[in-house]
Amino acid sequence: YEVIGVKSYNKKQFGKFINNTPSQGKYSHQMMYITYPDKRIVDSYNNLKFILNEEDINRYIIYGPYDVFDKGNYQFSFQFENISFVNKDTPCLKLEVFSHEDGMLAETTFSHNDLKLLNNNPFYNVVIKSVSTIQFRIMPLCRGRFVFREITFQKKVINN
């Protein structure tokens, strides 16, 4: 959500006020928090390139946006390009979807080969049980490089 003309606001109250998460959306790197942003490279498509070294290992390098989501069923998709890790079969990238109200909603580690099988587009189907402040987190577990495109979401309609 973007609130124009306001220096600060309570995101949770704002989320309750509008009380309606869009049915779909996306987050670019510009909407997230980046660790060591001066060491990252923005490409011509406005994607963010990461060349991972020892200081990046076991640390969240992308996290946020701390937006409020309504309860419901969602699909969250992390989209990457040009992934290359030094270890092809060892888990090298940890992805998380975290609710500040309900705790960890999804958490998986992926190897280079795992990500290639998923076309560099791992996704999670998640149930959010209450109005929640959501955080996406990306943590490398080994050296390498990748390009972060975006995280997308889509609210799913469940037919009974």
Side-chain angles (χ1 to χ4, degrees):
Y1 308 110
E2 182 177 359
V3 180
I4 299 171
V6 176
K7 291 186 191 261
S8 67
Y9 64 98
N10 183 319
K11 283 188 176 188
K12 186 165 183 121
Q13 290 303 318
F14 178 73
K16 286 180 183 177
F17 175 73
I18 64 167
N19 199 25
N20 191 6
T21 303
S23 61
Q24 60 187 11
K26 60 185 174 181
Y27 295 100
S28 70
H29 68 88
Q30 295 163 313
M31 304 167 90
M32 307 288 281
Y33 295 91
I34 309 296
T35 304
Y36 305 124
D38 54 321
K39 295 184 178 185
R40 313 310 177 187
I41 302 162
V42 178
D43 71 14
S44 59
Y45 299 105
N46 201 33
N47 299 322
L48 196 60
K49 182 177 182 179
F50 288 82
I51 300 172
L52 305 169
N53 55 42
E54 291 302 321
E55 63 189 9
D56 294 318
I57 307 303
N58 295 316
R59 149 181 284 150
Y60 296 118
I61 58 170
I62 302 175
Y63 57 97
Y66 303 100
D67 274 350
V68 176
F69 279 73
D70 282 341
K71 65 181 179 178
N73 296 300
Y74 293 87
Q75 183 177 79
F76 297 107
S77 176
F78 291 72
Q79 298 180 9
F80 302 99
E81 294 178 353
N82 302 328
I83 291 178
S84 177
F85 289 105
V86 293
N87 305 319
K88 301 300 183 202
D89 295 319
T90 305
C92 281
L93 196 63
K94 182 177 179 182
L95 306 178
E96 300 175 351
V97 179
F98 183 80
S99 162
H100 286 261
E101 290 72 22
D102 298 324
M104 191 64 69
L105 300 175
E107 174 184 30
T108 308
T109 57
F110 295 94
S111 71
H112 173 94
N113 291 340
D114 294 335
L115 291 165
K116 291 295 179 193
L117 287 173
L118 295 170
N119 213 18
N120 297 332
N121 189 16
F123 65 90
Y124 297 100
N125 292 312
V126 171
V127 176
I128 298 176
K129 297 178 183 173
S130 62
V131 173
S132 294
T133 304
I134 299 298
Q135 180 183 16
F136 307 105
R137 303 190 290 210
I138 299 173
M139 176 190 291
L141 305 174
C142 66
R143 291 185 15 248
R145 62 180 65 207
F146 68 86
V147 174
F148 173 77
R149 284 187 43 214
E150 62 191 7
I151 297 171
T152 63
F153 70 88
Q154 183 170 357
K155 193 168 187 179
K156 298 292 191 178
V157 176
I158 303 298
N159 298 324
N160 291 332

